[in-house]
C-alpha cells in the first residue's frame, strides 16, 4: 500500500529526480505518467503540429508540485506549470497553514454555461421574446441534437432566456441565452455548435437577423468555492504573534475590497495559484482569466475575489468563489501527455472536482502573498527565490547559479547588474585557477 500524504516536508530540498520519485510513491501514476511529468514523455513535435497551426517547435516551462494540500480530507499533490519563482513555494506554505485548521473544504455548482445568440432588426422586442419562450422546447431540442454524449449523460441545453438591449452603438438588440450543462467538458465547442444550430430557427421566429452565436466566458452559473480556516497559532512568527499577523491580513483584504487598483494585484495573486494548475492540466486559461475578472466586477465595481474574516475563536477564515469552466474531457486535456498525467496525479473524477482544486490553489496563493505583504513584505521570500533567475539571466552557468544567487541574497542586492559583476568575477577567478593548474582556458 503506497503512502498518500501530501505533507512532504523538505520536498523542495530534494533533486528533481528524487522529487519525481516521491510523487511516484504518491499512488496512481505509472512510469509513463512520471516520464510525462518529467518532460521526457511530453509533447512530441508530431502531436504539437496537430494541435495548432504553423508549428515550428514546442515550448517548455517548469512543472512544480505544490505540497501539503488537503482538500475535503483528501491529501492532494497539485501540479503547477509557471515561470515565476515563489508561487509553488507560497502555495505549499499556505496549504501547510490551512492544514493546521483541517485543510480546504470545497463546493461547486453544476457545470452550467451560457451560449449567446445576438438578434438584430427586430421591431417589437416584447412580442419576439414571448414567441421565443413559447418555442423553448423546440429550441432546446434543436440544440440537443448537436451533442449526443453530453445529452446521453444527462447534460446538454436546459433552458432559454431572452435579454433585450434597447440601445447600443448600433441600435437595439435581443440576446438569447441558451443555458447548457456541460458536465465534464469546458464546453465551448459544444455550446457554439448549439448556438449556431438554433440561430436560423430564432431568425424564422422573430424575423430578425442573427449575428454572433458564441458562448459567454462570464460563466457565473459555473462556480467553485474553497474555504480554509487557519488557527492564529499557525501564523505565529518569531517577531509577531499570529493574532497580529491575522490583523495585518485582514487589513490587506480590506484594501482589496475597497480599491480596484489594489484588488487587481490581489486577484493577480489568486490567479498565481490558479493559472499554473490550468496550464498543467491543459485548460483554456484565457477563458478562466476573462471570466474571473468579469466576475470580480459583477456589481459594477472591481473588487477582491476572496473574502477574509476572523471567526469567534480568533481563526483566520478565507473563502474564494469564482467561475471555473474547466474540463476533464475535450479540448487539449487528453492530447497533451503531461496534462493527462497531471490530471491523473490530481485523481479528479469530474470537471467540478478539478475546479475545486483550482480554487484551493488560488485561495492558498492569496493567503501566502497576503501573509508576506502584511508582515515582512514580498521581497525577502520572493526575491531570494528570484535570485536564481537573475543569476541565470546574467549568464551564470548551471553549476554556479546557486552560488551567485546566495551572494546576491547575502549582499541584499538582488539586481541584474550586480549578478553580471559577480559572474564576471567568477569567470576571471575560475579562468585564473585553471591557468594555475595548467588547464588551458
Ligand atoms: C516563499 C515563502 C514560502 C518562503 O517563506 P519562509 O518563511 O522562508 O518559509 P519556511 O522556510 O518557513 O517554509 C515554510 C514552507 O514553505 C514552503 N517552502 C519554503 N521554501 C520553499 C522553497 N524554496 N521551495 C518550495 N517550497 C518552499 C515549504 O512547504 C515549507 O514547509 P516545509 O516543507 O519546509 O515544512 C514565503 O515568503 C511566501 O509565501 N512568499 C509569498 C510568495 C508569493 O506570493 N509569490 C508570488 C510572487 S509575488 C506576486 O506575483 C503576487 C503579489 C504579491 O503581487 C500578489 C499580491 O500583491 O497580493
Ligand atoms: N470563448 C472561448 O472560451 C472559446 C473556447 N474554445 C475552445 O474550446 C475547447 C473546449 O471545448 P469543449 O466543447 O469542452 O471541447 P470538445 O468539443 O473537445 O469536447 C467536448 C465534447 O466531449 C463530449 N463528451 C464526452 N464525454 C463527456 C462528458 N462526460 N461531459 C461532457 N462532454 C463529454 C461531448 O461531445 P458530444 O456530446 O457532442 O458527443 C462534448 O461536447 C477548448 O479548446 C477551448 O479553448 C473554442 C471557442 C471559443
Amino acid at each position: 500500500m503506497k503512502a498518500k500524504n501530501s505533507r512532504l516536508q523538505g520536498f523542495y530540498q530534494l533533486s528533481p529526480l528524487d522529487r519525481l520519485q516521491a510523487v511516484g510513491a504518491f499512488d496512481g501514476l505509472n512510469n509513463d505518467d512520471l516520464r510525462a511529468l518529467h518532460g521526457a514523455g511530453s509533447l512530441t513535435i508530431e502531436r504539437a503540429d496537430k494541435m495548432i497551426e504553423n508549428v515550428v517547435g514546442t515550448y517548455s516551462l517548469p512543472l512544480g508540485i505544490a505540497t501539503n494540500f488537503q482538500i475535503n480530507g483528501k491529501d492532494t499533490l497539485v501540479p503547477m506549470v509557471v515561470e515565476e519563482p515563489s508561487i509553488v513555494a507560497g502555495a505549499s506554505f499556505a496549504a501547510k497553514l490551512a492544514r493546521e485548521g483541517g485543510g480546504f473544504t470545497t463546493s461547486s455548482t453544476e457545470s452550467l454555461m451560457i451560449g449567446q445568440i445576438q438578434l438584430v432588426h427586430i421591431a417589437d422586442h416584447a412580442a419576439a421574446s414571448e414567441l421565443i419562450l413559447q418555442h423553448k422546447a423546440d429550441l432546446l431540442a434543436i440544440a440537443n441534437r448537436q451533442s449526443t454524449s453530453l445529452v446521453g449523460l444527462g447534460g446538454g441545453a436546459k433552458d432559454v432566456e431572452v435579454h433585450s438591449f434597447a440601445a447600443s452603438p448600433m441600435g437595439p438588440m435581443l440576446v438569447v441565452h441558451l443555458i447548457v450543462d456541460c458536465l465534464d467538458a469546458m464546453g465551448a465547442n459544444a455550446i457554439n455548435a448549439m448556438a449556431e444550430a438554433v440561430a436560423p430557427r430564432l431568425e424564422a421566429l422573430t424575423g430578425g437577423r442573427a449575428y454572433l452565436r458564441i458562448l459567454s466566458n462570464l460563466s457565473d452559473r459555473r462556480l467553485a468555492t474553497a474555504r480554509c480556516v487557519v488557527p492564529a497559532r499557525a501564523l505565529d512568527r518569531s517577531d509577531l504573534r499570529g493574532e497580529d499577523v491575522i490583523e495585518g491580513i485582514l487589513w490587506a483584504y480590506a484594501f482589496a475590497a475597497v480599491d480596484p487598483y489594489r484588488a487587481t494585484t490581489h486577484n493577480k495573486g489568486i490567479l498565481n495559484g490558479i493559472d499554473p494548475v490550468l496550464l498543467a492540466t491543459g485548460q483554456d486559461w484565457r477563458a478562466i482569466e476573462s471570466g474571473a475578472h468579469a466576475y470580480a466586477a459583477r456589481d459594477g465595481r472591481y473588487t477582491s475575489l476572496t473574502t477574509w474574516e476572523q471567526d469567534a475563536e480568533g481563526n483566520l477564515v478565507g473563502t474564494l468563489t469564482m467561475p471555473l469552466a474547466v474540463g476533464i474531457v475535450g479540448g487539449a486535456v487528453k492530447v497533451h501527455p503531461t496534462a493527462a498525467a497531471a490530471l491523473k496525479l490530481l485523481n479528479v473524477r469530474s470537471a467540478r472536482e478539478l475546479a475545486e482544486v483550482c480554487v484551493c490553489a488560488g485561495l492558498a496563493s492569496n493567503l501566502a502573498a497576503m501573509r508576506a505583504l502584511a508582515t515582512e513584505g514580498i521581497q525577502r521570500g520572493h526575491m531570494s527565490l528570484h535570485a536564481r533567475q537573475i543569476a541565470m539571466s546574467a549568464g551564470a552557468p548551471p553549476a554556479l547559479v546557486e552560488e551567485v544567487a546566495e551572494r546576491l541574497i547575502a549582499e541584499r542586492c538582488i539586481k541584474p547588474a550586480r549578478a553580471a559583476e559577480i559572474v564576471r568575477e567568477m569567470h576571471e577567478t575560475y579562468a585564473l585557477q585553471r591557468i594555475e593548474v595548467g588547464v588551458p582556458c
Side-chain angles (χ1 to χ4, degrees), residues 7 10 12 68 84 86 93 96 262 268 272 373 380-381:
R7 177 75 194 98
Y12 64 91
N68 304 328
E84 189 178 358
S86 87
F93 191 4
K96 182 176 152 186
R262 173 58 206 152
K268 186 273 183 185
N272 268 347
L373 289 167
R380 202 269 309 159

Side-chain angles (χ1 to χ4, degrees), residues 133-356:
L133 294 176
Q134 277 168 8
H135 287 81
K136 189 188 279 191
D138 180 25
L139 291 163
L140 292 177
I142 296 171
N144 282 329
R145 279 202 286 278
Q146 310 308 309
S147 203
T148 43
S149 44
L150 197 54
V151 174
L153 291 164
K158 299 290 180 188
D159 204 359
V160 175
E161 293 171 357
V162 190
H163 300 266
S164 168
F165 293 89
S168 80
M170 286 295 287
M173 70 181 92
L174 265 193
V175 178
V176 177
H177 282 190
L178 203 54
I179 314 299
V180 182
D181 187 345
C182 299
L183 299 180
D184 289 326
M186 182 270 187
N189 293 325
I191 296 166
N192 297 344
M194 290 181 181
E196 290 187 9
V198 299
R201 182 81 178 111
L202 288 169
E203 285 180 327
L205 281 173
T206 61
R209 162 93 198 258
Y211 276 104
L212 270 62
R213 297 141 296 158
I214 188 85
L215 86 155
S216 167
N217 286 117
L218 176 49
S219 44
D220 57 359
R221 300 178 200 200
R222 191 174 188 175
L223 302 174
T225 298
R227 183 175 184 272
C228 68
V229 178
V230 184
R233 66 178 149 69
L235 291 159
D236 278 342
R237 296 165 48 99
S238 57
D239 57 342
L240 271 180
R241 293 178 322 135
E243 287 78 4
D244 299 325
V245 177
I246 290 181
E247 183 182 346
I249 290 175
L250 293 178
W251 277 111
Y253 160 62
F255 189 0
V258 297
D259 176 14
Y261 288 94
R262 173 58 206 152
T264 307
T265 324
H266 177 95
N267 290 342
K268 186 273 183 185
I270 294 168
L271 290 155
N272 268 347
I274 294 178
D275 286 354
V277 185
L278 300 176
L279 271 168
T281 57
Q283 307 298 318
D284 183 340
W285 71 93
R286 289 88 53 210
I288 308 287
E289 280 275 346
S290 61
H293 296 295
Y295 190 71
R298 66 195 177 282
D299 296 328
R301 191 177 53 84
Y302 188 88
T303 188
S304 166
L305 283 165
T306 51
T307 54
W308 292 92
E309 60 200 335
Q310 204 166 11
D311 68 11
E313 286 78 49
N315 302 310
L316 176 69
V317 182
T319 312
L320 169 60
T321 297
M322 59 177 273
L324 260 156
V326 291
I328 59 163
V329 298
V333 296
K334 299 255 164 75
V335 181
H336 197 300
T338 310
L343 274 175
K344 205 165 163 191
L345 173 65
L346 283 172
N347 191 20
V348 285
R349 283 150 303 180
S350 65
R352 287 172 61 174
E353 258 190 77
L354 175 59
E356 291 174 17

